[in-house]
Amino acid sequence: MKSISAKYSGSQLLQKKYKEFERAVRVEEIDGLRLVKQLAQNMEEMFHKKAQAMKRLVEAAEEAHLQHEEDPDLQYEYFNAVLINEVDEEGNSVELGGEFVLQPNDHFNNLSVNLSLSVVQVPTNMYNKDSAIVNGVYWSEALNKVFVDNFEKDPSLIWQYFGSAKGFFRQYPGIKWKPDEHGVIAFDCRNRKWYIQAATSPKDVVILVDVSGSMKGLRLTIAKQTVSSILDTLGDDDFFNIIAYNEELHYVEPCLNGTLVQADVTNKDHFREHLDKLFAQGIGMLDVALTEAFNLLSDFNETGRGSECSQAIMLVTDGAVDTYDAIFAKYNWPDRKVRIFPYLIGRESAFADNLKWMACANKGYFTQISTLADVQENVMEYLHVLSRPKVIDREHDTVWTEAYIDSTLDDGQGPVLMTTVAMPVFSTKNETRNRGILLGVVGTDVPVSELLKTIPKYKLGIHGYAFAITNNGYILTHPDLRPLYGDGKKRRKPNYSSVDLSEVEWEDKDDTLRNAMVNRKTGTFSMEVTKSIDKGKRVLVLHNDYYYTDIEGTPFSLGVALSRGHGKFFFRGNVTIEEGLHDLEHPDVALADEWTYCNTDEHPDHRYLSQIEAIKLYLSGHEPQLKCDKELIQEVLFDAVVTAPLEAYWTSLVLNKSENSDKGVEIAYLGTRTGLSRINLFVVPDELTNQDFLTAEDKEGVFNADHFPLWYKRAAEQVPGTFVYSLPFTAVGIQMKLEFFQKKFWTASRQCAALDGKCSISCDDENINCYLIDNNGFILVAEDYTLTGKFFGEAEGAVMNKLLHMGSFKRVTLYDYQALCWVFSESSGSGHTLLDPYFAFFSTIKWILTELVIFMVEFNLYSWWYSDLTTKAQRMGRSMQVPCDTEYPAFVSERTIKENMGHTDCDGCIKSFVIQQIPSSNLFMVVVDNKCDCSMFEPITMDPIEIMYNESLKCERLKMQKDRRRPDTCHPFHPEENSMECGGAMGLAPSLSAVLFCILLAVCPR
């Protein structure tokens, strides 16, 4: 096998060519700290360009609004995103429709868009010709010109938009929106994180929910939905808790009594599950609840762990029998640092006066919610109140969101990971200054893939990578982040946006790296890591050096990991441009699709260029606007020259048919650190046993933006001069048919050194089983073909157990903190407590192994975990998937042990075996005596096992708050704020005494 691999891969010729160029090559050590600072600067410049584009939109929007006079009778036809190009039965354009030119555009993933105009989307539950909306749409037409100018200045921009406080959403470029199967578009820009984060400051919130007997039925349903909608408006910089009250207080999560938790996705979902268990009974004691809420906010603020900015109490109730001014006087006046937002549930207005008084006297806002349809619009009102101080301060804070998934720009591999930069838009009219009117928020999306383009992968080495985190420690980009799951059409995980760095760099038990990055420090860190590859089947033990710094002007920090050894060094060669270009243009040459040799996105004329075409144009000197990585191009030209002889070598093998007796060899290939690859086929494409290998569909087998090919990684860790064999069956350098390889193996196993050529024992003997396994314990060859591709411990548990004890293999435990586990949810029917017990989970951890076909490409340790978790189990006894933590084993051979033999006692029967390494390979031959029944030994599998936490530990994990960095700005209140705009209800007029009291508070010292 070694001779075949050496012959068809051309490895010896390649070594010879590199030897010839040895004097022209110099080896340089990579300066990691200098590298990460340069990458951070590149990202800072890119982010700054996006922020400047938003600033231009803000200025244009505020000027357009300043010049606009509100006209309640204004009639204006605009392009409605849903109605454009729609016609009635007579073929005429519908109202707010009209002809809107749309053309496919490759920059927008071939979606049909209009690069000259924007469109306006109005939520289904709003009247699209409402006067406030029509006026807002009219003056915001001025943004069209700025949208176009921004795109011309920065062609890498994608969606730009303006989300209005009135509810409409202006999007550029214009695109047609399609309702769901129910004819509904539920999108409301004001409920998006980028809008909320830009409009308000971080906040600590206590939600009080009335669960007295009067809240039974529909009222409690509306109350739960109101609380859920409030949770939707909270983000990662906010903290909250929910307290239900009747004659007693009931923390919805009893474990979190007396504290607040971060409003990340996981915590909010956890509270929603408990919220479903609320039921109404007893009498409501609001005074006790308000006292608890004020004490909770005060005590938590003193710990220094919260937002240390705005504070609010959300009161969800069907009435209040008193104004409770004594409580407010004790805890909140005269400073009124805690705002009160009462939500009156139901149609009755008997207690509305009291609730509105509370809002007006405490700088809050009162709303009445009569139906489920009223919930979202009324909940949104509090955001405009919290935005007032920022508006009056005229602080256009630039905000960046954590990573999220945009389903619009599907890149073929599933929805695209994004971050958004957003800025608030204010009314600058003098007459509205003290009202602090927020007009809306502008924003633009930045694909995470664009960040990766600024990172030269060739400088990071084979196992190196770059990563970025937010001020909360959540991952913005990291090669181990897995936001999607499922086969075919990918789905997003429920908690994908709040994966902490400590969950992927889990070897850093003390969070040293994480905390340094969260605190915007610059420095280095080192640790030994175990990295799983090949979808978790294999493991590499590496020693990584980490370098990190902050990205100025953003809440992000950047890190770079370089592996010691060849990962810390880079060699530079030098050839002439002429000879380099000549060899680069060979038909067998390809460059990494996702690497940026030249930036072809920046100028429209360059977008249709391949990277090789762009390199030629750049080197010609005739295109000064084309920006390229000069250093990378020089190295790729060198690699092209050094590897060029392989093309002629492989061609000669193809032409010499008589010599090519090894019909099982299908492909020869090579790859270099600069992303250059050469591929030669020895068969026609239709005859390839693995059609996806070395194509874009084989994400693990090609150079990607964040990783080298799997075969490249594995070869780099192998002893120099040896070959790596694996399934799907490839060797570094060639791909051959598995049947061909197996045939060679069985032929070799029957050859003996005896004079007569006869073997005293061979793999043909019925009393022994022969296996060929790789260095991670996976079976390549076995007499039972159904075992191909399986882990050896599943077939021979007793022998594998002994090999582990003897040290021939070692077990490495890995952890997955992004897993999904099947659980069985069962609701309790108890009516004796306010809160039913939390879901009783009965985990069923079952590994279903199906027969692996010979040429299986995808063997995913986690694939069975993943199914859709987009809908909640609505009935008792339904299986569902939830986020969980798992541990699973991987196995690796001990290189220094070349041969070993042993035996194991199987209930009195001695089972013997021998294992021997195959020279110049990563393979081992194992011969096992099969006369004993060793079924009493359990198979050794690689099944993941859920890490179970007891109730005490679960509680501690909920309470645990990792280091985080607060946003740089905070606008909790403003002395000029007009707190008299505090809401109302139909037919509701505040009492004179209430008005006079609020005026008194407004003028008293703060």
Side-chain angles (χ1 to χ4, degrees):
M1 290 312 304
K2 180 183 178 182
S3 62
I4 292 175
S5 299
K7 173 182 175 182
Y8 286 95
S9 68
S11 58
Q12 293 176 342
L13 175 61
L14 189 60
Q15 288 174 338
K16 181 181 177 182
K17 290 300 298 181
Y18 271 110
K19 193 72 174 175
E20 292 175 5
F21 281 86
E22 194 171 29
R23 290 186 178 180
V25 172
R26 69 180 190 274
V27 177
E28 296 180 2
E29 184 172 2
I30 298 172
D31 185 338
L33 208 52
R34 180 180 177 185
L35 175 62
V36 75
K37 288 179 180 179
Q38 182 60 55
L39 296 183
Q41 184 178 336
N42 294 344
M43 288 189 179
E44 179 191 338
E45 291 171 0
M46 188 268 289
F47 283 137
H48 181 70
K49 286 176 66 176
K50 312 301 181 190
Q52 287 299 107
M54 294 306 96
K55 187 176 180 181
R56 291 190 287 270
L57 284 174
V58 168
E59 292 170 350
E62 292 183 349
E63 178 63 24
H65 178 262
L66 181 64
Q67 301 301 325
H68 176 73
E69 291 293 333
E70 202 75 10
D71 180 1
D73 301 317
L74 178 64
Q75 300 293 315
Y76 180 65
E77 289 286 318
Y78 60 90
F79 287 114
N80 184 289
V82 179
L83 301 176
I84 54 174
N85 298 332
E86 294 288 327
V87 295
D88 57 22
E89 295 177 355
E90 298 177 358
N92 300 317
S93 296
V94 299
E95 195 174 23
L96 299 182
E99 184 179 351
F100 193 79
V101 178
L102 295 170
Q103 294 181 325
N105 188 288
D106 62 329
H107 183 61
F108 293 90
N109 217 42
N110 284 322
L111 293 171
S112 294
V113 298
N114 185 313
L115 295 178
S116 301
L117 296 169
S118 59
V119 291
V120 174
Q121 176 265 343
V122 180
T124 304
N125 65 332
M126 300 182 71
Y127 178 42
N128 57 26
K129 298 195 75 175
D130 179 83
S131 174
I133 289 178
V134 172
N135 274 270
V137 169
Y138 179 78
W139 65 256
S140 65
E141 284 286 337
L143 296 181
N144 275 324
K145 182 179 184 305
V146 188
F147 284 144
V148 174
D149 289 346
N150 279 344
F151 189 51
E152 289 177 353
K153 286 184 173 73
D154 182 5
S156 68
L157 282 170
I158 49 173
W159 307 117
Q160 302 174 66
Y161 38 82
F162 168 65
S164 168
K166 302 298 182 184
F168 71 83
F169 180 70
R170 182 177 288 281
Q171 181 186 24
Y172 173 88
I175 187 173
K176 185 170 178 59
W177 288 47
K178 295 181 181 178
D180 62 18
E181 63 272 18
H182 306 295
V184 173
I185 292 181
F187 178 86
D188 188 325
C189 61
R190 297 168 300 174
N191 208 20
R192 293 308 195 225
K193 283 189 176 182
W194 53 267
Y195 184 98
I196 296 166
Q197 202 171 322
T200 65
S201 294
K203 48 198 170 291
D204 295 337
V205 176
V206 175
I207 305 172
L208 299 178
V209 190
D210 185 353
V211 290
S212 61
S214 61
M215 289 287 289
K216 285 183 179 178
L218 179 59
R219 287 184 179 181
L220 187 58
T221 301
I222 296 173
K224 290 177 181 178
Q225 185 58 44
T226 301
V227 175
S228 184
S229 293
I230 292 172
L231 292 180
D232 285 338
T233 66
L234 303 180
D236 294 335
D237 292 324
D238 303 323
F239 290 79
F240 77 103
N241 205 334
I242 305 174
I243 303 174
Y245 71 92
N246 42 31
E247 62 268 23
E248 295 179 354
L249 296 179
H250 309 270
Y251 278 82
V252 171
E253 169 50 88
C255 163
L256 297 172
N257 188 319
T259 188
L260 302 183
V261 294
Q262 191 174 10
D264 60 31
V265 174
T266 303
N267 286 336
K268 290 191 291 185
D269 286 346
H270 180 79
F271 271 82
R272 282 193 178 96
E273 291 170 357
H274 283 283
L275 201 63
D276 287 340
K277 298 299 183 178
L278 290 176
F279 65 91
Q281 66 178 23
I283 303 169
M285 303 292 287
L286 180 54
D287 55 338
V288 178
L290 285 170
T291 300
E292 178 71 11
F294 277 115
N295 284 327
L296 175 55
L297 287 170
S298 176
D299 293 345
F300 187 72
N301 189 55
E302 289 179 4
T303 66
R305 291 185 291 139
S307 69
E308 294 194 348
C309 193
S310 299
Q311 291 186 314
I313 296 174
M314 310 297 195
L315 174 58
V316 183
T317 180
D318 63 349
V321 296
D322 192 4
T323 57
Y324 302 104
D325 51 300
I327 294 176
F328 298 126
K330 179 179 180 180
Y331 293 103
N332 206 35
W333 297 341
D335 295 334
R336 295 184 289 169
K337 290 185 177 181
V338 179
R339 298 178 188 266
I340 308 296
F341 295 95
Y343 296 92
L344 177 60
I345 305 299
R347 299 183 183 278
E348 298 295 328
S349 298
F351 300 107
D353 283 352
N354 290 338
L355 291 172
K356 181 171 182 182
W357 183 91
M358 293 181 199
C360 297
N362 295 279
K363 290 188 176 181
Y365 198 89
F366 166 81
T367 57
Q368 183 166 2
I369 302 176
S370 303
T371 68
L372 285 169
D374 298 336
V375 172
Q376 183 162 312
E377 194 66 25
N378 282 285
V379 166
M380 293 294 171
E381 293 292 347
Y382 95 87
L383 295 174
H384 302 143
V385 175
L386 291 184
S387 70
R388 285 177 190 162
K390 180 182 284 192
V391 178
I392 298 173
D393 280 335
R394 295 287 192 268
E395 291 289 345
H396 293 92
D397 299 331
T398 303
V399 299
W400 294 87
T401 68
E402 78 281 4
Y404 69 94
I405 286 175
D406 178 22
S407 300
T408 309
L409 293 178
D410 192 317
D411 63 359
Q413 301 298 320
V416 176
L417 209 58
M418 300 275 194
T419 181
T420 291
V421 56
M423 295 179 72
V425 181
F426 309 140
S427 170
T428 58
K429 295 180 179 180
N430 288 331
E431 60 268 28
T432 64
R433 176 174 170 78
N434 68 343
R435 292 165 59 193
I437 295 177
L438 175 75
L439 300 177
V441 174
V442 296
T444 186
D445 297 334
V446 182
V448 170
S449 58
E450 190 169 340
L451 306 186
L452 297 177
K453 288 179 182 178
T454 67
I455 300 170
K457 185 69 183 78
Y458 71 100
K459 286 187 178 180
L460 304 182
I462 303 161
H463 304 299
Y465 54 90
F467 57 98
I469 64 172
T470 70
N471 59 301
N472 288 298
Y474 298 149
I475 293 172
L476 180 68
T477 178
H478 192 290
D480 292 335
L481 176 66
R482 304 193 314 275
L484 304 172
Y485 71 98
D487 296 321
K489 186 173 178 59
K490 301 288 186 182
R491 303 177 182 91
R492 68 193 73 184
K493 293 180 180 178
N495 59 341
Y496 73 90
S497 62
S498 56
V499 177
D500 197 270
L501 181 64
S502 61
E503 295 177 320
V504 293
E505 301 286 353
W506 48 265
E507 292 93 344
D508 180 16
K509 303 297 184 184
D510 297 325
D511 287 342
T512 304
L513 173 65
R514 177 200 179 277
N515 293 344
M517 293 183 67
V518 162
N519 291 309
R520 304 183 72 92
K521 293 182 179 178
T522 298
T524 63
F525 176 71
S526 298
M527 66 178 175
E528 188 174 276
V529 298
T530 50
K531 290 292 181 183
S532 64
I533 58 173
D534 198 7
K535 298 182 174 63
K537 288 195 298 183
R538 309 179 189 282
V539 65
L540 297 175
V541 179
L542 307 169
H543 198 112
N544 280 355
D545 290 325
Y546 295 86
Y547 306 89
Y548 51 86
T549 192
D550 69 310
I551 304 173
E552 288 190 20
T554 77
F556 308 134
S557 291
L558 178 69
V560 164
L562 300 178
S563 297
R564 290 187 182 176
H566 46 69
K568 294 288 294 292
F569 296 92
F570 185 71
F571 70 87
R572 302 187 184 282
N574 191 26
V575 295
T576 65
I577 291 177
E578 291 74 19
E579 61 180 334
L581 278 178
H582 174 269
D583 292 332
L584 190 63
E585 293 185 90
H586 286 190
D588 67 327
V589 171
L591 298 182
D593 284 341
E594 296 182 11
W595 288 22
T596 303
Y597 300 83
C598 292
N599 188 346
T600 56
D601 293 331
E602 196 161 301
H603 197 283
D605 293 343
H606 301 152
R607 287 182 183 150
Y608 301 98
L609 295 174
S610 70
Q611 286 294 320
I612 292 180
E613 290 170 339
I615 290 173
K616 286 177 59 181
L617 189 60
Y618 169 73
L619 292 176
S620 71
H622 299 315
E623 192 58 58
Q625 290 183 312
L626 185 60
K627 297 178 181 178
C628 298
D629 187 330
K630 183 178 180 181
E631 193 175 275
L632 175 56
I633 290 176
Q634 181 61 45
E635 298 312 314
V636 85
L637 292 179
F638 174 78
D639 285 349
V641 171
V642 174
T643 61
L646 280 177
E647 181 191 21
Y649 175 80
W650 287 333
T651 301
S652 68
L653 290 178
V654 173
L655 295 176
N656 196 344
K657 300 273 187 185
S658 59
E659 217 177 282
N660 188 13
S661 57
D662 304 313
K663 300 295 183 182
V665 180
E666 299 180 341
I667 301 176
Y669 59 90
L670 68 84
T672 73
R673 184 165 168 164
T674 60
L676 177 144
S677 59
R678 290 182 181 271
I679 302 172
N680 185 84
L681 299 184
F682 294 109
V683 296
V684 295
D686 291 343
E687 293 180 7
L688 289 172
T689 53
N690 183 357
Q691 297 284 335
D692 291 338
F693 183 58
L694 299 177
T695 67
E697 284 70 30
D698 178 22
K699 298 294 285 185
E700 289 283 334
V702 296
F703 290 91
N704 280 334
D706 60 357
H707 67 254
F708 275 68
L710 174 62
W711 48 266
Y712 199 116
K713 288 182 177 182
R714 295 193 64 202
E717 297 307 310
Q718 190 69 9
V719 175
T722 63
F723 288 90
V724 176
Y725 303 85
S726 65
L727 286 174
F729 193 73
T730 63
V732 174
I734 64 172
Q735 174 176 282
M736 65 181 77
K737 290 180 183 293
L738 181 60
E739 296 99 325
F740 171 74
F741 178 80
Q742 289 175 330
K743 182 179 178 182
K744 290 284 185 181
F745 170 77
W746 292 123
T747 300
S749 70
R750 298 185 182 99
Q751 295 176 357
C752 299
L755 293 176
D756 57 2
K758 295 180 180 180
C759 301
S760 58
I761 186 172
S762 77
C763 290
D764 291 331
D765 292 358
E766 60 181 20
N767 292 328
I768 64 171
N769 291 333
C770 293
Y771 302 92
L772 192 64
I773 66 175
D774 68 14
N775 58 313
N776 296 114
F778 288 93
I779 299 172
L780 275 73
V781 181
E783 291 162 282
D784 181 355
Y785 281 80
T786 64
L787 295 176
T788 304
K790 290 189 177 182
F791 180 61
F792 180 69
E794 296 176 40
E796 297 282 358
V799 176
M800 189 66 203
N801 187 60
K802 194 70 176 180
L803 290 173
L804 289 169
H805 279 94
M806 295 165 58
S808 292
F809 278 82
K810 63 179 178 181
R811 182 198 305 261
V812 179
T813 301
L814 300 171
Y815 298 91
D816 183 4
Y817 296 104
Q818 302 175 68
L820 292 177
C821 297
W822 283 104
V823 298
F824 186 80
S825 63
E826 183 176 353
S827 300
S828 168
S830 171
H832 300 293
T833 58
L834 176 69
L835 292 174
D836 283 345
Y838 184 40
F839 289 108
F841 294 132
F842 299 95
S843 300
T844 53
I845 303 175
K846 206 179 271 187
W847 185 260
I848 304 173
L849 285 171
T850 57
E851 178 175 334
L852 293 178
V853 293
I854 289 176
F855 303 115
M856 189 178 212
V857 179
E858 299 295 339
F859 179 74
N860 190 336
L861 283 176
Y862 307 110
S863 62
W864 72 278
W865 288 125
Y866 299 159
S867 73
D868 195 3
L869 186 59
T870 56
T871 58
K872 185 179 176 182
Q874 297 292 330
R875 61 181 186 273
M876 184 180 295
R878 178 174 178 177
S879 293
M880 56 188 292
Q881 282 187 298
V882 297
C884 64
D885 299 339
T886 61
E887 65 175 44
Y888 62 97
F891 300 88
V892 62
S893 64
E894 175 52 59
R895 283 183 179 175
T896 59
I897 301 179
K898 307 297 183 183
E899 182 178 354
N900 220 333
M901 61 180 64
H903 61 268
T904 185
D905 188 343
C906 298
D907 201 16
C909 182
I910 304 301
K911 187 182 188 79
S912 302
F913 63 88
V914 63
I915 180 171
Q916 186 166 13
Q917 186 175 358
I918 308 295
S920 302
S921 78
N922 66 320
L923 303 180
F924 294 84
M925 184 172 179
V926 187
V927 180
V928 180
D929 172 12
N930 65 12
K931 290 180 291 185
C932 297
D933 177 11
C934 293
S935 57
M936 73 284 299
F937 286 90
E938 291 289 327
I940 296 177
T941 71
M942 299 179 68
D943 299 5
I945 300 172
E946 183 179 359
I947 301 172
M948 306 302 293
Y949 302 103
N950 59 39
E951 290 304 317
S952 175
L953 193 52
K954 281 183 183 177
C955 183
E956 288 304 313
R957 285 168 61 83
L958 279 172
K959 288 182 177 179
M960 181 181 65
Q961 291 186 14
K962 290 180 175 289
D963 279 12
R964 54 182 294 276
R965 189 179 71 253
R966 294 179 186 84
D968 295 331
T969 59
C970 169
H971 310 276
F973 51 85
H974 196 284
E976 297 178 26
E977 184 181 343
N978 179 8
S979 58
M980 291 307 298
E981 290 198 4
C982 46
M986 191 175 296
L988 176 64
S991 66
L992 179 60
S993 60
V995 172
L996 290 174
F997 189 81
C998 291
I999 293 173
L1000 181 63
L1001 282 173
V1003 299
C1004 72
R1006 287 168 174 79

